[in-house]
Amino acid sequence: MIIEAILNNKNDLVEGTFCYELFENRVFNEHLFIELIENITSCLIEGDYLKDDDFIELLEFVPWFVMNTMHCVICHNDKNDSYFIENMNMSLWYERYENMLRDILSAILKRK
């Protein structure tokens, strides 16, 4: 189920998720990032069909995901921080990825 795949990202021990790759391996996996964004968007569109508990968890997950992803990028750019994302393309971040996070955060706020 899509909601389960989304929420698995909140568990740092679940390998194969975007958040695991970013938080634990310090790798920005573009494929997993886009897949996660698309899954979240799909659930927001189909939200009326989700169980209430699943939808509430999704509403709680999105700000957590956005904030933690942004935190990683901020730390990556801080020369005084030892956190470094191995394959981070900052041009793509500013051109595309940051906007994708903003869009899902905006969509979730409209649903609350």
Side-chain angles (χ1 to χ4, degrees):
M1 183 175 204
I2 289 178
I3 192 74
E4 187 176 330
I6 293 169
L7 297 177
N8 275 342
N9 279 272
K10 202 161 183 183
N11 183 343
D12 288 357
L13 301 177
V14 178
E15 292 184 33
T17 64
F18 170 76
C19 291
Y20 178 86
E21 291 292 320
L22 185 62
F23 303 160
E24 301 300 323
N25 294 336
R26 299 175 180 199
V27 171
F28 188 91
N29 185 314
E30 179 185 34
H31 171 74
L32 291 176
F33 177 77
I34 291 171
E35 179 180 67
L36 180 55
I37 296 290
E38 288 174 350
N39 285 344
I40 292 168
T41 302
S42 175
C43 281
L44 289 173
I45 292 168
E46 306 283 328
D48 296 336
Y49 302 104
L50 292 174
K51 291 187 279 181
D52 287 343
D53 290 346
D54 288 341
F55 195 68
I56 289 169
E57 284 189 75
L58 178 67
L59 292 176
E60 293 171 354
F61 171 78
V62 170
W64 176 89
F65 162 62
V66 170
M67 293 300 295
N68 282 290
T69 301
M70 293 293 291
H71 179 78
C72 288
V73 173
I74 290 167
C75 290
H76 169 79
N77 284 320
D78 183 350
K79 291 176 180 25
N80 296 319
D81 196 306
S82 63
Y83 182 85
F84 180 77
I85 304 168
E86 295 297 326
N87 64 329
M88 192 65 193
N89 182 328
M90 291 308 298
S91 294
L92 281 175
W93 172 260
Y94 291 119
E95 291 170 15
R96 185 170 184 205
Y97 306 136
E98 187 176 40
N99 291 333
M100 294 170 83
L101 288 179
R102 184 199 64 230
D103 291 347
I104 63 161
L105 187 57
S106 178
I108 207 85
L109 291 171
K110 290 177 185 176
R111 293 295 303 241
K112 282 191 168 186

